[in-house]
Amino acid sequence: MGKKLEADVVVVGAGTSGCYFALKLAERGYRCVVLEKERLEMLGSHIGPFHMEEVAFARFGVPFPEGNELLHVVKNSTMWSPNRNSSFQFELKTLVMDKPSFIQRLQGYARDSGVEVLEQAEVTGLMWERGFLRGVRVSTPEGELEVAARLVVDASGIDSAVRALMPRTRWLETAPINDRDTFIVYMEPWRNITGEFYPDINSFPGFQGWYAPGPGDTTIVGVGMMGSAEAAKKRHDLFVEMLPFEGEVVSSTGGRVPYRRPPYSLVDNGFMVMGDAAYMNKPFSGEGVTSAFTACVIAVDVADRALAVDDLSRESLWPYNVRYFRDQGAKFAFLMSFMPALVAVSDEELDFFFSIPGVMTEESSRALQLEYEVKGDIKESLKAVSHIIKGLAGRQLRPSTLFSLARAGVLAGALKNLYERFPDHPVDFGRWMVRVDRIWSRSERFKYEYFSSLTRELG
Ligand SMILES: Cc1cc2nc3c(=O)[nH]c(=O)nc-3n(C[C@H](O)[C@H](O)[C@H](O)COP(=O)(O)OP(=O)(O)OC[C@H]3O[C@@H](n4cnc5c(N)ncnc54)[C@H](O)[C@@H]3O)c2cc1C
């Protein structure tokens, strides 16, 4: 017979979401076990450098990085039009950090709070008791292990290891994430750069591309692309052709990030899901560390109450759904629905939008990065209307593009509205889901068509 362990909570995945959740729950006095299928020292090494806004450290109670973990502190971000004739800069202090070191630091905090973190422990099956998830079966180099727990938390990243093993019910989407809902990120650190080059973070929304400081004296040149690694590499080649500088490619790194609408529910009996496993990535950048922390904070609160009264039912865990979806989930639903229409705008039209006042502004970009909302000054927006009319008359903007953006805006607004009214109780979930699903199926069709055509174009 295999080994057995018991805990209040078992967390699957020792990435940033799993460690942060376990750490915060352990601080409230619960016994947490974190299971990680890889060796802990390897986590994050396929990514290397990553970004986190400075404000996030205070917001989530994580101490600032020091030593080799902190690669750079960046003050500004610049957004460029496709022809690079227009750009605007906004101040947003961002830390560029070494991902493996950051994860190891979080694991250290978790251990200090009493969390047991097991490496090379891959969850392969689930344990059930009277309709409640009551633990996981684990494969380890020493043999099989069973971890019994009152609550099982899926923080296993894009694999969604637990969610995908759950039985199909109307309460939870169990299908693993597919290629059409995944972005491949491809990044190259460059050095010895010559040519027209700007410091800090530079984004090119027309390419889903960017360049930013990397480890040492390197600059990371990266893109995100749906479909395959080949498509991402080809998109990167096109991006590089457009850049006004050259450099020596040091290596390449990358990985996959979910690019999917928010799921419809994050809980079931004895179960919670968070992080990339619940596609909590920012729809405009794919970043997912702090957006998952936002969910973790809510989940810790809800799990604490449920564990305290020993009621881990779907109903008892439901407030995690309500609080998450009515706020960040609703904002992400809006952006995830609207972004594909925006990135599908032609380069010339995007250049036009950059050139008119009131559309792409410093304030709106900062609000998007920090609050995940599209905010605009009414007076400025009114000014933009007259420019848009002139653009239509001067053929700088096609009526079909304007129509497509307006349609996307209406659908995105309707989705946000529905998520903001996420049902208080599971009884009303079925009706809510039918309504929201109807709008998503219209909205997502556009996203799939656009990215499929882009992938075809890239061969
Ligand atoms: C190239 C790249 C660059 C990025 N840059 C940024 C950035 O600058 N800023 C930012 O905020 N985000 C960035 N992201 C996104 C960010 O990395 C993710 O959103 C974040 O790591 C998600 O954390 P997570 O803990 O939910 O999942 P993960 O970090 O994927 O952790 C999940 C863990 O679960 C483990 N696991 C999986 N299956 C099992 C199983 N069956 N049993 C046990 N363990 C299992 C995995 O091995 C993994 O360690 C980037 C992503 C990529 C790919």
Side-chain angles (χ1 to χ4, degrees):
M1 200 153 90
K3 240 179 105 188
K4 291 186 182 192
L5 264 183
E6 263 187 46
D8 289 313
V9 181
V10 59
V11 179
V12 181
T16 43
S17 312
C19 287
Y20 185 73
F21 175 84
L23 146 72
K24 291 291 162 190
L25 199 61
E27 282 175 353
R28 299 202 186 191
Y30 296 100
R31 174 152 192 237
C32 301
V33 172
V34 176
L35 303 170
E36 170 54 52
K37 70 174 178 181
E38 306 291 346
R39 284 185 21 241
L40 293 178
E41 66 191 41
M42 296 309 294
L43 299 192
S45 52
H46 66 295
I47 293 179
F50 84 108
H51 306 112
M52 230 168 107
E53 291 100 23
E54 189 199 36
V55 291
F57 291 88
R59 184 180 295 164
F60 298 108
V62 177
F64 258 51
E66 286 175 356
N68 293 339
E69 184 185 334
L70 179 61
L71 303 177
H72 302 279
V73 179
V74 174
K75 207 171 151 213
N76 296 308
S77 276
T78 306
M79 199 80 91
W80 290 90
S81 65
N83 64 8
R84 289 184 290 107
N85 286 341
S86 315
S87 68
F88 59 90
Q89 196 175 65
F90 56 97
E91 202 181 320
L92 184 67
K93 217 169 173 186
T94 304
L95 274 56
V96 186
M97 294 153 67
D98 178 58
K99 186 87 187 272
S101 311
F102 181 61
I103 298 177
Q104 282 164 28
R105 186 155 63 98
L106 285 183
Q107 285 163 358
Y109 295 148
R111 281 206 194 85
D112 292 347
S113 307
V115 177
E116 192 171 351
V117 187
L118 303 183
E119 62 180 345
Q120 292 184 286
E122 180 172 4
V123 170
T124 51
L126 307 180
M127 287 155 44
W128 295 91
E129 196 183 295
R130 289 194 289 267
F132 277 71
L133 192 54
R134 281 292 187 233
V136 290
R137 295 183 208 288
V138 189
S139 165
T140 77
E142 293 79 42
E144 297 302 305
L145 168 71
E146 280 183 8
V147 186
R150 292 196 281 156
L151 175 65
V152 177
V153 171
D154 190 353
S156 65
I158 199 164
D159 291 352
S160 315
V162 181
R163 192 173 57 74
L165 287 173
M166 297 283 281
R168 271 186 73 179
T169 63
R170 66 194 184 93
W171 300 106
L172 204 67
E173 294 162 88
T174 55
I177 191 156
N178 63 34
D179 289 349
R180 297 198 311 168
D181 291 322
T182 305
F183 249 28
I184 313 286
V185 181
Y186 177 80
M187 315 195 295
E188 288 176 352
W190 289 17
R191 70 176 158 224
N192 299 330
I193 289 179
T194 52
E196 189 191 330
F197 171 80
Y198 295 89
D200 295 353
I201 297 174
N202 291 267
S203 307
F204 297 78
F207 278 88
Q208 290 94 55
W210 77 97
Y211 68 86
D217 60 354
T218 65
T219 293
I220 298 284
V221 180
V223 296
M225 175 65 200
M226 190 175 285
S228 63
E230 293 73 39
K233 175 72 178 77
K234 283 186 183 160
R235 186 111 168 117
H236 191 270
D237 291 345
L238 290 175
F239 178 51
V240 165
E241 264 174 39
M242 182 275 303
L243 291 174
F245 57 80
E246 292 178 344
E248 181 195 326
V249 179
V250 180
S251 60
S252 66
T253 54
R256 297 186 306 144
V257 289
Y259 185 63
R260 191 169 194 229
R261 62 158 174 77
Y264 295 150
S265 172
L266 306 167
V267 305
D268 209 337
N269 291 329
F271 173 78
M272 283 175 144
V273 58
M274 61 202 56
D276 278 17
Y279 347 122
M280 289 172 170
N281 308 67
K282 297 179 193 172
F284 47 89
S285 68
E287 294 177 358
V289 174
T290 51
S291 44
F293 285 179
T294 299
C296 289
V297 168
I298 302 170
V300 164
D301 215 26
V302 173
D304 181 10
R305 282 166 210 223
L307 288 160
V309 293
D310 202 21
D311 177 1
L312 282 303
S313 63
R314 183 184 303 128
E315 289 76 11
S316 177
L317 300 175
W318 200 255
Y320 172 37
N321 272 342
V322 177
R323 285 171 58 188
Y324 178 77
F325 287 125
R326 287 187 183 178
D327 187 7
Q328 182 173 289
K331 291 172 182 173
F332 280 12
F334 180 94
L335 292 172
M336 191 45 91
S337 172
F338 189 66
M339 293 308 282
L342 196 60
V343 296
V345 167
S346 73
D347 285 356
E348 294 71 28
E349 288 170 318
L350 201 52
D351 287 335
F352 167 72
F353 279 123
F354 264 85
S355 71
I356 60 178
V359 176
M360 319 285 256
T361 63
E362 289 170 43
E363 290 68 33
S364 64
S365 298
R366 214 191 337 268
L368 184 64
Q369 291 283 341
L370 291 176
E371 297 163 50
Y372 317 140
E373 293 217 84
V374 181
K375 285 189 177 161
D377 180 279
I378 298 275
K379 265 197 213 152
E380 289 293 308
S381 305
L382 284 176
K383 267 193 233 161
V385 171
S386 67
H387 283 86
I388 287 173
I389 293 167
K390 279 188 206 149
L392 284 167
R395 293 173 190 262
Q396 289 156 296
L397 183 63
R398 282 173 298 166
S400 59
T401 301
L402 198 59
F403 175 75
S404 161
L405 287 172
R407 176 186 173 276
V410 169
L411 291 180
L415 282 165
K416 183 166 187 271
N417 200 272
L418 272 173
Y419 276 88
E420 280 171 347
R421 289 184 285 127
F422 189 89
D424 275 315
H425 194 274
V427 189
D428 301 314
F429 178 61
R431 250 176 304 150
W432 178 86
M433 197 167 57
V434 169
R435 292 179 67 195
V436 84
D437 199 54
R438 208 177 290 144
I439 306 181
W440 273 123
S441 61
R442 288 172 64 198
S443 164
E444 293 211 294
R445 204 177 315 138
F446 181 82
K447 171 182 117 175
Y448 295 141
E449 281 166 9
Y450 169 66
F451 281 104
S452 307
S453 71
L454 197 56
T455 312
R456 274 198 304 277
E457 260 173 50
L458 291 169

